[in-house]
Structure formats: structure tokens, C-alpha cells
Amino acid sequence: MRAYLSAIFCVGICANGFAQSSDDDALAPVFSCIEQYAPDVERSVTDLSDAAIFLAGSVCSVEGAAYQTQQQRLAYAKMQEQQRQRCGSMDATSETYEYVCGEFGEYPDSFLDISASFGYLSAPTEARAHAAKILLNLRIARLEGEQTGE
């Protein structure tokens, strides 16, 4: 039970460090959603910071949550492998072996529910940055068009 609770805590807190090595393929659906809806959001929301948060965190939340779930599963698998390596070097008869090296299960979906309730499944940083960049470029283009009378 303690190992399970430790894993819940560590996946929520530690996953950010492991998730930073994401590839563009995993983020492609999130970026595609942002690019699709950015023009409408840019025209509708005056403050670009609020627009970026809204676009990445609400409009494209399904895609962002799928990406975050994938990253947490990868982080959990990496932590499992590291724990297996640590346990491989431990004496199996020691008192702490069972506590430290108990069963390694699959990534439980309950981790995601707990992580989401603590806000760990917010929009990916890369998505918010991409949304901000796209929105800023759209705003500049629109304002330049208004100045030239287009």
C-alpha cells in the first residue's frame, strides 16, 4: 500500500521531469487543434494570455489530456524500469526488499484520476507556448491589415 501511494505521489510530481523529452509526433494532434481554432479565439478574446490559456486548456483540452496521459504512462514505465534495476541489486532476503520491491503493476488509471484532481493534467506547456505564438502572429497580422486598410 505504501509503495502504491508513493508511486501516485511520484508520478504526479516527477512526471514533469520525464515528460519534457516529448517528440513532435505526440504533440501533433494538440498543435493541429490549436492551429484550427486559433483564428476564432484570437478574434473573440481580447487578452492574448487569456486566449492562449483558453485555447490550449479548454478548446483543445481533449487532445492535451491524451498527450499528458501518454507522457505519464511513459514516465511510469521509466520509473518501473529504474526500480527493477535498483531491486536487482538488492538482497531478496532483506527486510526492506518486499517493501521497496513489491509487485510492479501496469499504470493504474486511478493515477490519472488522482493527478487530474490535483491539476497535473493541465494543458501541456508546449501547447500553451504554441498557442501563444500562433495567437500573437494572428493578432499582429490582423492589426497590420487594419492599419493598411485591408
Side-chain angles (χ1 to χ4, degrees):
M1 180 66 174
R2 287 184 192 167
Y4 181 76
L5 293 175
S6 297
I8 290 173
F9 178 75
C10 195
V11 166
I13 301 299
C14 301
N16 284 339
F18 294 118
Q20 297 307 314
S21 62
S22 64
D23 60 17
D24 291 338
D25 292 340
L27 283 167
V30 181
F31 287 174
S32 176
C33 177
I34 288 169
E35 291 161 6
Q36 178 182 353
Y37 293 104
D40 295 331
V41 172
E42 187 275 326
R43 285 189 301 272
S44 302
V45 182
T46 306
D47 184 288
L48 287 181
S49 294
D50 291 342
I53 292 168
F54 175 69
L55 182 57
S58 295
V59 175
C60 299
S61 62
V62 172
E63 293 83 355
Y67 169 77
Q68 292 284 45
T69 299
Q70 176 188 16
Q71 293 302 302
Q72 284 192 343
R73 288 183 190 282
L74 291 172
Y76 187 73
K78 185 173 182 174
M79 288 187 319
Q80 280 183 317
E81 183 56 34
Q82 290 171 345
Q83 188 66 9
R84 282 188 182 97
Q85 289 174 0
R86 276 189 219 101
C87 291
S89 64
M90 287 181 71
D91 178 15
T93 61
S94 71
E95 292 179 16
T96 59
Y97 181 82
E98 181 59 34
Y99 175 75
V100 174
C101 302
E103 286 294 315
F104 299 106
E106 292 301 312
Y107 187 87
D109 289 332
S110 60
F111 281 4
L112 298 179
D113 297 336
I114 291 169
S115 296
S117 68
F118 287 111
Y120 295 123
L121 291 180
S122 62
T125 303
E126 298 93 334
R128 288 192 309 266
H130 187 69
K133 177 183 171 188
I134 298 293
L135 290 166
L136 181 60
N137 289 338
L138 288 169
R139 179 70 50 91
I140 290 170
R142 185 170 60 87
L143 293 176
E144 286 176 349
E146 289 175 1
Q147 287 180 349
T148 60
E150 294 177 13

